[in-house]
Amino acid sequence: RVAMVGCAKCERCQVLLRDREFIFRSMWGAEPWQRWPQPFFLEDSCFGRARDHHSRHQDPSVYFKEAASGKHCATNWYEGNSGNLGRPGRLQPFHAPAPALLGFDDSIDRFCYGLGGRGDH
């Protein structure tokens, strides 16, 4: 199993991940909006599934290595959803470097609008 160790923020995340009622359990489950089983293991999360083949398992470290390297930055993470953001093969234009954002659509929109953004994130 993958151990999570690190900084103070990581320790806070570990506390939240152990909380059976915290939303992390729904956000990153292997099945959309299904809570992770107990005991918690990263292998039971979406990180333990191949991003392009959901039924195929992978070592969760693959997800984090690929995220850190930016391997999939030039893909549309919304593809398959409704609206313009979900259209196949459509990449969102970025005119300058942008931070990676983690959150829910509403909080990401508020953050972007606060910096002068407009439209969908």
Side-chain angles (χ1 to χ4, degrees):
R1 301 293 181 168
V2 176
M4 293 184 294
V5 296
C7 64
K9 288 182 181 179
C10 298
E11 291 173 13
R12 173 72 177 139
C13 284
Q14 288 181 18
V15 169
L16 295 174
L17 285 167
R18 285 190 294 270
D19 181 344
R20 291 177 183 218
E21 299 306 315
F22 197 71
I23 197 156
F24 282 171
R25 295 298 181 106
S26 294
M27 284 177 62
W28 297 313
E31 299 298 328
W33 298 106
Q34 298 294 313
R35 294 200 178 271
W36 287 343
Q38 285 289 327
F40 164 75
F41 296 109
L42 278 179
E43 289 82 352
D44 298 325
S45 71
C46 62
F47 309 120
R49 302 286 180 98
R51 72 181 296 279
D52 59 346
H53 198 283
H54 185 258
S55 64
R56 191 174 70 225
H57 292 269
Q58 69 178 9
D59 187 304
S61 65
V62 171
Y63 173 89
F64 293 103
K65 286 176 188 171
E66 289 179 353
S69 73
K71 180 176 181 176
H72 302 291
C73 285
T75 60
N76 181 0
W77 289 64
Y78 281 99
E79 190 169 304
N81 289 295
S82 62
N84 284 332
L85 286 174
R87 288 184 15 217
R90 179 185 170 145
L91 294 178
Q92 301 305 309
F94 290 96
H95 306 291
L101 301 176
L102 175 64
F104 295 100
D105 290 349
D106 292 342
S107 62
I108 291 173
D109 283 340
R110 279 193 304 275
F111 177 84
C112 294
Y113 295 153
L115 295 175
R118 52 185 159 52
D120 291 329
H121 56 270

